[in-house]
Amino acid sequence: QCYVTNDGIDPFKGTLTITAVNFVDGTQSPAMPAKTLDMEAGIAVTEFFTLDNFSSIDANSTLLLAEIVSAQDGATVSKNVIALTPPANWHIPAATVTVTSISPNGSQGASIVLKA
């Protein structure tokens, strides 16, 4: 179960979106429909919700990006990256890095170009 909380002294209205980001191929998709928030002020004012398709998300290749945007001015008031498993379990493709040096720049050394 997931939750969003308003610990502020003012009521809050806005929208919560949670996006599944596949860090292997870069694809992004909504992890749930956008959730409209209309929260009273106060300590620990909390709304609980579930991600209905959570079981279909591959935790070893996907992160969740949770973002809350204010209805008042459209500003992002919260943005969180949520790892679903420790990084040791992630299936990250091996990187290929090529280093090429370019002609010297006088007395200041040489330029280096990195390509990944």
Side-chain angles (χ1 to χ4, degrees), residues 1 4 25 35 42 76 83 92 100-101 115:
Q1 194 169 46
V4 61
D25 63 16
K35 178 173 179 50
T76 298
I92 300 174
T100 305
S101 69
K115 293 183 180 180

Side-chain angles (χ1 to χ4, degrees), residues 1-2 6 13 16 25-26 33 40 43 45 47 60 69 71 73-76 86 90 103 110:
Q1 194 169 46
C2 304
N6 179 21
K13 290 184 180 187
L16 165 68
D25 63 16
E40 297 295 326
I43 297 174
V45 173
E47 289 186 25
N60 295 319
V69 175
D73 59 8
T76 298
W90 293 354
S103 60

Side-chain angles (χ1 to χ4, degrees), residues 49-114:
F49 61 94
T50 58
L51 293 176
D52 292 335
N53 66 343
F54 184 76
S55 62
S56 68
I57 296 173
D58 181 359
N60 295 319
S61 64
T62 306
L63 297 170
L64 297 180
L65 176 61
E67 184 172 15
I68 298 175
V69 175
S70 169
Q72 181 178 5
D73 59 8
T76 298
V77 296
S78 177
K79 195 175 218 179
N80 293 287
V81 176
I82 305 162
L84 302 174
T85 190
N89 297 334
W90 293 354
H91 297 156
I92 300 174
T96 302
V97 178
T98 303
V99 178
T100 305
S101 69
I102 300 179
S103 60
N105 288 331
S107 63
Q108 295 182 3
S111 296
I112 305 282
V113 176
L114 297 175

